[in-house]
Amino acid sequence: MIEPADRLASALADRYRIERELGKGGMATVYLAQDLRHGRKVAVKVLLPELAAVLGAERFLSEIHVTAALQHPHILPLFDSGQADGQLFYVMPFVEGESLRSRLDRERQLPIADALRICREVGSALGYAHRHGVIHRDIKPENILLQEGHALVADFGIALAVTSAGGGRLTQTGLSLGTPQYMSPEQATGEREIDARSDLYSLAAVTYEMLGGEPPHTGTTMQAVIARMLTERPRNVRSMRSSVPENVANALDVALERIPADRWNSIEEFEQAIDGKVTPAKRSSGTLIAGTGRTGAEYRSRLKDPVTLALAGIAFVALLIAAAAIAMRRTPVELPTARFLITLPKGTEFALLTQDAFALSPDGKLIAFAARDSTLTPRIFLRAIGDTRVTPLPGTEGVINVWFSPDGRWLGFAGASGIRKISIATHDIVDVAGLNGVYGGTTWSPSGNLVISANNARLFVVPQNGGTERKLCNKSGDEIISQTEPLALADGETILFSGSKSNSIAAQRLGVGSLRTGDCKLLDVPMIHALGVADGIVVFANLSGVIMAAPFDERSKKIEGSAIPLVSDVDVNQTTGTAQASMSLTGSLVYLTANASTELMKVDAGGVAGRLFPDVRTYAYPRYSPNGKKIAVAVAVTAQRDIWVIDPQAGTMSRLTSGGYINDRPEWSPDGRRVLFRTSRGTRSAIWWRSADLSDEESALLTNDKEDYYEAVMTPDGSSVVYQVDTAGADVVAQSLTGQRKKTAIAASPFIEDMARLSPDGKWVAYVSDASGSSEVFVQPFPGAGPRVQVSSRGGDEPVWARDGSRIFYRDGRNVVAVSFRTAPEFEVTGRRELFPDIYVKRSLPHANYDVSPDGSSFLFLRETSDKEAVVIYNWLPEVRSRLKESREAKN
């Protein structure tokens, strides 16, 4: 017998090459295919035989032709349709992403910003279709595809085509259109007149699930779901997630009304309500866009229908049976998994550190994290699981990494003063170790030792109360070049870490070290940050910001099965490989969401902003060319960051870099011909450059196998370069580019100095120092000696000079500030003026993350299109176990 897939492949052989089956749904089987004419991948959907048998090809193809005319950025287009060997098919683009259902299965609740963005994008597609007289009828997470984070609505109009073509004969197939959890009540009760408010209800149900973690109505059977839909109001979503804005919850309440006449009149009105521009009391009385609908009285009478009451009775009996079963159980009830966000006091934000800024206590009941308030200097805050308040810990200013002791009584932290610990109960602080260099993570073993990654990413063991440090990987350390992100296991002997035999962060693997023997080895498991081991499961993050889990044999120290993805969109520093996440021994998780995308904004001196360039990407460190016509900027895609040159007037982008996995912090040469940038090539971070017109190849400008260069700017005459070098803290140094290439220390101290900028006349240098206990902007003569003058007040960083040399701008955590000054007889600040609120993306690494236009009339900032949120998944382990079990069963 010839299989349907083989029949299809043979019938379509001249147009499509069928590669494999992707899945099977309620109406169609989906195949991945190659479009031979256009050389692209497509999804070929073939209606199920029992459905196609009652439809009739001519009528179905006629109806689907109408929907093919829909053209919208968030609608998955229809490429082709037809009949092949008796099979009805239609062809759509193959989306190399995932469905919203897959993401919800993995995360359950989405960050609020992500959920609302997806809602708006789907709403935009629906509103467009409604204006063209088309109702989708089957909005559900499975039909919403995510491509690079943005929504595409699939199968648009297919449900209508099937309904119109099949008519009453559809019931002969035993199939139904729509999914109970997302159906509108009028669909569920078989109303023949369906209008735009049905799609509105379905969109609201999907949005409710994205925010609350479950659909508005749930049940063990289709009948139970429908009965609840027709007899119960859904809980307000804020009862499940208090961080949801009240206006969003109110908008969903109205959109989920059982009676269409009681809902919002259109998708557009629903979106306005989500934005807080319309309230339930101020709904419009405008006419519907598509369809006429029914009166409230007609629907209320339908709720008294005997069938409806019978369904409600069935659901009620089911609930009684479930309640009785729970009451009779003698075994302990496992606590449910709970998800919530950490909310911060006004004026406080999570610190964007190069190392892990989050830690969970071993019992999962305390969360420690680094945040910054008006001082701009990060410090540790504590929050208990059962409390919404956060408490700052005095004496932890300047923290760059935080971790708990095995008994949960102490917090360890790293900063400019070395490794220290603070008592949770008394807040007493004890110095532990003075290791120098950039830290790459620390862990506290039950054996009473700290394991610290320091001094060129090597692991050291230090007694918890201080003492002489020793190298961990003492036998194989030379071949494992990078040793970071250590994690102590409960046995008190074993350390997991991230390691590689090269300087490439993409080559990081799971490492295992022994505190007893000092031996270390690498496993063939790509990983950049181990988060925890519990119940025979290892949880770790990869460079793409995905948290994975795999079975782990703690005795043999080996992965015993395939790793599966659990959580995506986690903030991962693409330079250090640190994931902003932590897991407790009891299996709870906390993580910071990634900044998915930003947009380039032109902001005038009054704070009025507009988008400068249409593309939304993950931008960083934008820089105007000297003539203001082009912009150099870093653009990140997964594990790769490159420098691009944008021409806003022409609307074009040119990629400047092609080597190394990290290229960022661009700066223009004074003549505008070349772009300098920091790169990861070689064994150390270096400064390279290239012609902006791509007329030559990339080449090294500053490189040294004993030092890391993190940022650099050229002097106005182009004769020297001023850069930040990795030392015990961080220092600012100038180096001549001619002759003997003489070096001059500009700002060198035990404290951190960075973000140096030269005045347009080359006589002054502005930079940031934390010598006072918080980040402040200073100015001193260049290159000669002279007094340094504090320019900022109450904290400040990211200094940028006006191109005419008349002012210095900086960011103080609240506003963008302009400083006026005079230079004779000495440098003196004459005034500070707050220009506008600073609502734009802050720096993630030392370098200004904005610029001033050459004429001084406007600024170039980055605006987030999604917010970072700290997500806590309490009692996560049962969910992880279940997902691993499902994965094993699926493979068997």
Side-chain angles (χ1 to χ4, degrees):
M1 181 178 177
I2 300 177
E3 294 294 327
D6 296 331
R7 289 171 47 207
L8 181 71
S10 176
L12 297 178
D14 60 332
R15 285 182 284 171
Y16 304 103
R17 183 175 66 248
I18 304 298
E19 296 183 357
R20 59 185 170 89
E21 182 179 316
L22 293 174
K24 193 171 185 178
M27 290 191 297
T29 301
V30 188
Y31 298 93
L32 174 65
Q34 185 75 15
D35 183 343
L36 301 177
R37 182 179 303 172
H38 302 99
R40 60 189 176 187
K41 290 184 177 180
V42 295
V44 178
K45 300 193 174 186
V46 183
L47 291 188
L48 299 182
E50 59 269 35
L51 183 59
V54 298
L55 290 181
E58 186 176 345
R59 181 72 188 277
F60 172 75
L61 296 176
S62 175
E63 291 290 344
I64 205 172
H65 177 74
V66 175
T67 67
L70 296 176
Q71 300 293 324
H72 187 275
H74 296 295
I75 292 178
L76 193 67
L78 184 71
F79 282 166
D80 192 8
S81 61
Q83 182 180 18
D85 193 20
Q87 301 177 86
L88 295 178
F89 72 92
Y90 52 101
V91 181
M92 292 183 170
F94 173 66
V95 177
E96 294 187 0
E98 63 177 345
S99 69
L100 177 58
R101 168 52 62 212
S102 296
R103 185 171 177 187
L104 286 172
D105 285 346
R106 185 172 63 251
E107 301 180 35
R108 190 172 174 226
Q109 289 173 307
L110 304 191
I112 291 174
D114 282 11
L116 296 184
R117 174 175 48 77
I118 291 170
C119 172
R120 290 186 180 97
E121 290 174 349
V122 175
S124 175
L126 291 173
Y128 166 84
H130 294 166
R131 289 191 295 274
H132 288 75
V134 177
I135 312 300
H136 191 289
R137 296 170 178 253
D138 197 17
I139 291 295
K140 56 187 177 183
E142 289 80 356
N143 279 339
I144 299 171
L145 306 181
L146 301 178
Q147 186 174 43
E148 296 187 352
H150 294 285
L152 286 170
V153 183
D155 284 355
F156 221 108
I158 302 302
L160 174 61
V162 171
T163 303
S164 299
R169 293 175 296 159
L170 184 63
T171 57
Q172 299 173 24
T173 67
L175 301 172
S176 62
L177 297 177
T179 303
Q181 288 87 346
Y182 313 102
M183 277 184 186
S184 65
E186 56 269 32
Q187 263 188 295
T189 54
E191 288 295 327
R192 300 176 71 179
E193 296 284 349
I194 299 295
D195 60 41
R197 294 171 298 187
S198 179
D199 280 351
L200 168 60
Y201 182 98
S202 299
L203 174 60
V206 171
T207 306
Y208 185 102
E209 181 175 1
M210 287 192 287
L211 295 170
E214 62 183 33
H217 300 285
T218 59
T220 56
T221 65
M222 178 177 178
Q223 290 83 359
V225 173
I226 295 173
R228 286 186 173 181
M229 177 196 303
L230 300 177
T231 59
E232 300 176 8
R233 291 183 64 87
R235 289 183 295 165
N236 186 284
V237 72
R238 282 171 58 85
S239 68
M240 296 183 288
R241 189 173 181 181
S242 60
S243 56
V244 174
E246 190 170 355
N247 54 286
V248 173
N250 291 339
L252 290 173
D253 283 347
V254 175
L256 292 170
E257 287 284 358
R258 289 193 296 270
I259 299 166
D262 291 339
R263 298 176 203 148
W264 303 108
N265 285 292
S266 66
I267 294 288
E268 289 78 6
E269 192 175 43
F270 173 50
E271 291 176 340
Q272 289 177 342
I274 283 178
D275 293 335
K277 298 176 182 177
V278 177
T279 64
K282 295 184 178 180
R283 293 173 55 214
S284 71
S285 57
T287 57
L288 292 174
I289 292 172
T292 58
R294 290 181 179 270
T295 66
E298 288 177 295
Y299 281 104
R300 290 186 184 95
S301 66
R302 185 159 185 89
L303 295 182
K304 298 176 183 179
D305 178 85
V307 174
T308 298
L309 295 177
L311 290 173
I314 293 170
F316 181 66
V317 170
L319 287 173
L320 287 178
I321 294 172
I326 292 172
M328 294 174 64
R329 280 196 304 198
R330 295 290 183 266
T331 55
V333 178
E334 188 172 68
L335 290 174
T337 300
R339 287 169 167 81
F340 59 89
L341 300 179
I342 300 175
T343 55
L344 298 180
K346 187 176 181 180
T348 304
E349 62 183 10
F350 296 110
L352 304 178
L353 304 184
T354 57
Q355 287 304 314
D356 197 353
F358 289 84
L360 270 171
S361 61
D363 62 6
K365 295 180 179 179
L366 267 183
I367 308 165
F369 56 90
R372 62 175 85 226
D373 51 22
S374 58
T375 67
L376 288 182
T377 302
R379 55 178 168 166
I380 299 175
F381 287 74
L382 275 181
R383 175 186 160 166
I385 285 291
D387 196 349
T388 59
R389 295 169 297 178
V390 297
T391 304
L393 295 185
T396 62
E397 290 78 10
V399 61
I400 60 172
N401 192 197
V402 60
W403 60 92
F404 272 95
S405 65
D407 60 9
R409 297 169 57 192
W410 293 82
L411 265 175
F413 64 99
S417 300
I419 304 296
R420 313 175 83 185
K421 64 180 183 179
I422 181 170
S423 168
I424 300 294
T426 66
H427 295 177
D428 292 336
I429 294 179
V430 178
D431 291 328
V432 176
L435 287 169
N436 293 326
V438 176
Y439 298 107
T442 304
T443 189
W444 198 325
S445 172
S447 64
N449 293 304
L450 297 181
V451 178
I452 306 164
S453 175
N455 289 351
N456 196 21
R458 296 300 175 99
L459 292 178
F460 294 85
V461 182
V462 181
Q464 62 188 11
N465 295 318
T468 303
E469 65 266 9
R470 61 180 172 87
K471 283 188 177 182
L472 175 62
C473 300
N474 52 26
K475 296 181 181 179
S476 55
D478 290 337
E479 62 185 53
I480 305 178
I481 294 175
S482 175
Q483 307 160 13
T484 61
E485 307 306 339
L487 173 72
L489 298 192
D491 63 7
E493 178 187 335
T494 307
I495 303 294
L496 301 184
F497 64 94
S498 175
S500 73
K501 298 182 179 182
S502 71
N503 192 48
S504 171
I505 195 171
Q508 298 288 93
R509 295 291 184 269
L510 175 61
V512 180
S514 170
L515 288 175
R516 182 174 53 84
T517 66
D519 287 341
C520 296
K521 64 179 180 180
L522 295 182
L523 306 182
D524 191 22
V525 180
M527 183 213 73
I528 52 93
H529 194 166
L531 302 177
V533 174
D535 197 22
I537 299 169
V538 61
V539 175
F540 59 92
N542 65 24
L543 199 56
S544 298
V546 178
I547 293 179
M548 314 282 289
F552 183 72
D553 188 328
E554 296 187 47
R555 184 171 297 177
S556 66
K557 310 299 185 295
K558 292 182 179 179
I559 300 287
E560 296 292 341
S562 300
I564 63 168
L566 295 171
V567 177
S568 63
D569 194 35
V570 177
D571 184 274
V572 172
N573 187 294
Q574 298 294 307
T575 300
T576 63
T578 300
Q580 293 299 341
S582 178
M583 180 176 153
S584 71
L585 291 177
T586 55
S588 292
L589 179 75
V590 60
Y591 68 92
L592 188 69
T593 60
N595 176 30
S597 56
T598 55
E599 52 189 350
L600 289 165
M601 305 298 295
K602 182 178 181 181
V603 186
D604 68 19
V608 178
R611 187 185 287 184
L612 182 63
F613 191 69
D615 286 16
V616 175
R617 302 194 183 197
T618 305
Y619 296 113
Y621 314 113
R623 282 298 166 274
Y624 276 118
S625 61
N627 63 12
K629 293 183 178 180
K630 294 185 179 180
I631 297 167
V633 65
V635 179
V637 179
T638 313
Q640 181 74 29
R641 182 173 292 167
D642 283 297
I643 306 300
W644 292 69
V645 175
I646 295 175
D647 186 333
Q649 187 171 0
T652 59
M653 291 182 68
S654 301
R655 180 172 168 172
L656 193 77
T657 57
S658 58
Y661 58 92
I662 296 294
N663 302 284
D664 62 7
R665 298 181 236 190
E667 292 290 342
W668 292 86
S669 61
D671 59 10
R673 296 176 59 189
R674 303 178 75 84
V675 177
L676 294 71
F677 54 92
R678 191 280 299 250
T679 186
S680 63
R681 295 163 230 216
T683 59
R684 293 281 191 169
S685 292
I687 304 299
W688 284 42
W689 61 353
R690 187 182 186 186
S691 294
D693 62 4
L694 311 182
S695 59
D696 61 7
E697 297 300 319
E698 306 158 78
S699 59
L701 179 63
L702 288 176
T703 183
N704 189 322
D705 61 3
K706 296 181 180 180
E707 293 179 323
D708 284 305
Y709 301 109
Y710 289 127
E711 56 175 346
V713 294
M714 295 188 74
T715 55
D717 62 5
S719 65
S720 302
V721 64
V722 177
Y723 59 90
Q724 178 204 352
V725 65
D726 169 33
T727 54
D731 293 328
V732 175
V733 178
Q735 179 173 316
S736 170
L737 296 177
T738 59
Q740 297 182 349
R741 298 173 72 90
K742 179 182 177 182
K743 294 182 181 180
T744 304
I746 303 300
S749 77
F751 303 100
I752 294 176
E753 292 92 12
D754 52 25
M755 291 186 274
R757 296 256 156 193
L758 277 302
S759 62
D761 62 6
K763 296 180 178 180
W764 305 91
V765 59
Y767 60 89
V768 175
S769 173
D770 66 352
S772 65
S774 64
S775 296
E776 300 284 0
V777 178
F778 293 86
V779 168
Q780 68 183 45
F782 179 83
R788 76 175 189 179
V789 178
Q790 183 171 324
V791 169
S792 60
S793 65
R794 299 183 302 149
D797 60 9
E798 299 187 55
V800 175
W801 295 80
R803 300 292 175 97
D804 62 4
S806 63
R807 290 171 296 170
I808 298 174
F809 304 96
Y810 69 86
R811 309 169 78 169
D812 69 1
R814 301 166 299 276
N815 299 286
V816 177
V817 181
V819 176
S820 55
F821 56 87
R822 57 171 168 255
T823 58
E826 58 185 7
F827 192 96
E828 181 182 0
V829 173
T830 58
R832 298 182 185 89
R833 185 163 67 94
E834 296 176 349
L835 298 181
F836 49 84
D838 189 357
I839 60 174
Y840 301 100
V841 179
K842 308 298 189 294
R843 64 181 177 91
S844 58
L845 292 169
H847 207 63
N849 209 23
Y850 73 105
D851 202 6
V852 181
S853 64
D855 64 7
S857 65
S858 62
F859 298 84
L860 177 61
F861 276 99
L862 301 176
R863 184 168 68 185
E864 291 179 336
T865 56
S866 60
D867 296 328
K868 289 180 179 289
E869 296 178 314
V871 181
V872 179
I873 311 180
Y874 186 69
N875 195 37
W876 185 46
L877 197 54
E879 197 173 284
V880 177
R881 285 196 216 101
S882 176
R883 292 286 301 278
L884 281 170
K885 181 181 178 183
E886 290 173 1
S887 176
R888 287 194 300 269
E889 291 174 348
K891 289 182 179 179
N892 294 334

